[in-house]
Amino acid sequence: MAKRATKSAAKPIATKPVYVLNGPNLNLLGQREPEIYGRATLADVEKSLAARAKALGASVLCLQSNHEGDLVTWIQEARTMAGGVIINAGAYSHTSIAIHDALAMLDIPVVEVHISNIYKRESFRHHSHISSVATGLICGLGVKGYELALEAILADISK
Ligand code: CA2
Protein backbone atom coordinates (compact mmCIF):
# COMPACT_ATOMS: atom_id res chain seq x y z
CA MET A 1 0.00 0.00 0.00
CA ALA A 2 1.25 3.48 -0.84
CA LYS A 3 2.38 5.50 2.11
CA ARG A 4 0.78 8.88 2.58
CA ALA A 5 3.07 11.71 3.56
CA THR A 6 1.34 13.78 6.20
CA LYS A 7 2.65 16.91 7.77
CA SER A 8 1.59 17.27 11.36
CA ALA A 9 2.80 19.20 14.39
CA ALA A 10 5.51 17.44 16.37
CA LYS A 11 4.02 15.14 19.00
CA PRO A 12 4.92 16.53 22.42
CA ILE A 13 7.67 14.40 23.92
CA ALA A 14 8.48 16.57 26.89
CA THR A 15 6.06 18.49 29.06
CA LYS A 16 8.75 20.24 31.08
CA PRO A 17 11.34 22.47 29.38
CA VAL A 18 14.95 21.44 29.00
CA TYR A 19 17.01 23.97 30.97
CA VAL A 20 19.98 25.34 29.01
CA LEU A 21 22.38 26.87 31.51
CA ASN A 22 25.40 28.90 30.42
CA GLY A 23 28.02 30.19 32.82
CA PRO A 24 30.54 33.01 33.00
CA ASN A 25 31.60 34.92 29.91
CA LEU A 26 29.40 32.92 27.56
CA ASN A 27 27.28 36.08 27.17
CA LEU A 28 30.21 37.30 25.05
CA LEU A 29 30.03 34.39 22.63
CA GLY A 30 30.67 35.51 19.05
CA GLN A 31 32.33 38.73 20.17
CA ARG A 32 35.86 37.50 21.02
CA GLU A 33 38.15 34.55 20.20
CA PRO A 34 36.12 33.33 17.19
CA GLU A 35 38.95 30.90 16.35
CA ILE A 36 38.06 28.99 19.56
CA TYR A 37 34.37 29.64 20.06
CA GLY A 38 33.08 30.50 16.58
CA ARG A 39 31.05 33.47 15.43
CA ALA A 40 27.56 32.59 16.65
CA THR A 41 26.28 34.72 19.54
CA LEU A 42 24.56 33.24 22.57
CA ALA A 43 21.30 34.73 21.27
CA ASP A 44 21.82 32.85 17.97
CA VAL A 45 22.45 29.59 19.82
CA GLU A 46 19.40 30.03 22.05
CA LYS A 47 17.16 30.93 19.11
CA SER A 48 18.14 27.88 17.08
CA LEU A 49 17.84 25.61 20.12
CA ALA A 50 14.31 26.87 20.75
CA ALA A 51 13.40 26.19 17.11
CA ARG A 52 14.94 22.69 17.20
CA ALA A 53 13.15 21.92 20.47
CA LYS A 54 9.82 23.06 19.01
CA ALA A 55 10.32 20.90 15.92
CA LEU A 56 10.96 17.93 18.20
CA GLY A 57 7.89 18.60 20.37
CA ALA A 58 9.76 20.08 23.28
CA SER A 59 10.83 23.43 24.70
CA VAL A 60 13.89 25.02 26.26
CA LEU A 61 14.45 27.57 28.98
CA CYS A 62 17.76 29.33 28.32
CA LEU A 63 19.56 31.08 31.18
CA GLN A 64 23.03 32.62 31.46
CA SER A 65 24.86 34.05 34.44
CA ASN A 66 28.35 35.14 35.40
CA HIS A 67 27.57 34.20 39.01
CA GLU A 68 28.05 30.72 40.45
CA GLY A 69 25.14 31.05 42.90
CA ASP A 70 22.67 31.79 40.09
CA LEU A 71 23.68 28.56 38.37
CA VAL A 72 23.27 26.62 41.63
CA THR A 73 19.82 28.15 42.17
CA TRP A 74 18.68 27.27 38.63
CA ILE A 75 19.99 23.70 38.98
CA GLN A 76 18.00 23.35 42.22
CA GLU A 77 14.92 24.72 40.44
CA ALA A 78 15.47 22.19 37.65
CA ARG A 79 14.82 19.33 40.11
CA THR A 80 11.09 19.97 39.83
CA MET A 81 10.73 22.26 36.83
CA ALA A 82 12.90 20.74 34.08
CA GLY A 83 12.83 17.61 31.94
CA GLY A 84 16.60 17.73 31.57
CA VAL A 85 19.56 20.07 31.82
CA ILE A 86 22.17 21.17 29.29
CA ILE A 87 24.99 22.94 31.08
CA ASN A 88 28.06 24.79 29.93
CA ALA A 89 29.32 26.14 33.21
CA GLY A 90 32.31 27.77 31.50
CA ALA A 91 35.31 28.13 33.80
CA TYR A 92 33.17 27.06 36.81
CA SER A 93 33.27 23.57 35.31
CA HIS A 94 36.89 23.39 36.43
CA THR A 95 36.43 24.93 39.87
CA SER A 96 32.92 24.60 41.28
CA ILE A 97 32.10 21.94 43.83
CA ALA A 98 28.85 23.82 44.55
CA ILE A 99 27.68 23.21 40.96
CA HIS A 100 28.84 19.58 41.18
CA ASP A 101 26.82 19.10 44.40
CA ALA A 102 23.68 20.73 42.96
CA LEU A 103 23.84 18.58 39.80
CA ALA A 104 24.34 15.43 41.91
CA MET A 105 20.83 16.01 43.34
CA LEU A 106 19.12 15.79 39.94
CA ASP A 107 17.21 12.71 38.77
CA ILE A 108 16.86 13.98 35.19
CA PRO A 109 19.29 13.72 32.25
CA VAL A 110 22.15 16.21 32.36
CA VAL A 111 24.46 16.87 29.43
CA GLU A 112 27.63 18.89 29.93
CA VAL A 113 28.62 20.91 26.87
CA HIS A 114 31.87 22.67 26.02
CA ILE A 115 32.17 24.48 22.73
CA SER A 116 35.92 23.90 22.59
CA ASN A 117 37.79 20.65 23.12
CA ILE A 118 38.91 21.24 26.70
CA TYR A 119 41.38 18.30 26.46
CA LYS A 120 43.31 20.00 23.64
CA ARG A 121 43.74 23.17 25.69
CA GLU A 122 45.58 24.20 28.89
CA SER A 123 45.89 21.47 31.53
CA PHE A 124 43.75 23.47 34.01
CA ARG A 125 40.79 22.85 31.66
CA HIS A 126 41.31 19.08 31.59
CA HIS A 127 39.32 18.38 34.73
CA SER A 128 35.63 19.13 35.07
CA HIS A 129 33.75 18.77 38.36
CA ILE A 130 30.59 18.36 36.30
CA SER A 131 31.46 15.32 34.19
CA SER A 132 31.17 12.84 37.08
CA VAL A 133 27.58 13.91 37.79
CA ALA A 134 26.47 14.35 34.15
CA THR A 135 24.71 11.75 32.05
CA GLY A 136 27.06 12.63 29.19
CA LEU A 137 29.59 15.12 27.90
CA ILE A 138 29.95 16.80 24.51
CA CYS A 139 33.00 18.94 23.82
CA GLY A 140 34.92 20.27 20.87
CA LEU A 141 32.03 20.25 18.40
CA GLY A 142 31.39 23.98 18.55
CA VAL A 143 27.92 25.35 19.28
CA LYS A 144 26.46 22.31 17.46
CA GLY A 145 27.14 20.53 20.76
CA TYR A 146 24.10 22.23 22.35
CA GLU A 147 21.78 20.84 19.68
CA LEU A 148 23.30 17.37 19.99
CA ALA A 149 22.83 17.58 23.75
CA LEU A 150 19.17 18.53 23.29
CA GLU A 151 18.60 15.57 20.97
CA ALA A 152 20.31 13.22 23.44
CA ILE A 153 18.17 14.46 26.33
CA LEU A 154 14.93 14.17 24.35
CA ALA A 155 15.87 10.66 23.21
CA ASP A 156 16.55 9.74 26.83
CA ILE A 157 13.26 11.23 28.07
CA SER A 158 11.19 9.48 25.42
CA LYS A 159 12.69 6.00 25.77
O1 CA2 B 1 34.63 25.47 25.56
C1 CA2 B 1 33.77 25.89 26.36
O2 CA2 B 1 32.58 25.95 26.10
C2 CA2 B 1 34.23 26.41 27.73
O3 CA2 B 1 33.27 25.99 28.69
C3 CA2 B 1 34.25 27.91 27.63
C4 CA2 B 1 34.79 28.59 28.89
C5 CA2 B 1 36.12 27.99 29.31
O4 CA2 B 1 36.52 28.56 30.54
C6 CA2 B 1 36.04 26.49 29.44
O5 CA2 B 1 37.30 25.99 29.79
C7 CA2 B 1 35.58 25.86 28.14
C8 CA2 B 1 35.08 30.06 28.65
C9 CA2 B 1 34.02 30.82 28.06
C10 CA2 B 1 34.61 32.10 27.60
O6 CA2 B 1 33.68 32.61 26.73
C11 CA2 B 1 34.08 33.47 25.81
C12 CA2 B 1 33.13 33.76 24.90
C13 CA2 B 1 33.44 34.62 23.90
C14 CA2 B 1 34.67 35.18 23.82
C15 CA2 B 1 35.62 34.88 24.75
C16 CA2 B 1 35.31 34.01 25.77
Side-chain angles (χ1 to χ4, degrees), residues 8-28:
S8 56
K11 196 169 136 229
I13 59 170
T15 49
K16 293 178 179 177
V18 173
Y19 275 30
V20 182
L21 305 181
N22 278 289
N25 296 311
L26 286 156
N27 54 313
L28 298 179

Side-chain angles (χ1 to χ4, degrees), residues 21-124:
L21 305 181
N22 278 289
N25 296 311
L26 286 156
N27 54 313
L28 298 179
L29 205 58
Q31 296 177 36
R32 291 192 55 238
E33 301 186 77
E35 66 290 355
I36 301 178
Y37 299 110
R39 295 197 182 276
T41 66
L42 188 58
D44 294 334
V45 173
E46 292 176 347
K47 195 173 163 201
S48 58
L49 266 182
R52 186 75 185 124
K54 192 174 177 193
L56 294 171
S59 63
V60 287
L61 176 66
C62 298
L63 300 160
Q64 187 277 333
S65 178
N66 294 327
H67 304 280
E68 187 177 14
D70 288 343
L71 295 163
V72 169
T73 298
W74 292 332
I75 294 163
Q76 289 182 5
E77 183 184 293
R79 292 172 66 208
T80 54
M81 302 299 283
V85 172
I86 297 169
I87 181 162
N88 183 351
Y92 287 143
S93 314
H94 316 301
T95 62
S96 178
I97 294 167
I99 291 175
H100 166 101
D101 287 349
L103 288 169
M105 293 180 218
L106 296 181
D107 295 320
I108 52 178
V110 174
V111 178
E112 176 182 8
V113 170
H114 296 285
I115 298 164
S116 63
N117 182 346
I118 54 175
Y119 300 102
K120 272 184 158 177
R121 301 184 65 193
E122 304 96 323
S123 58
F124 62 81

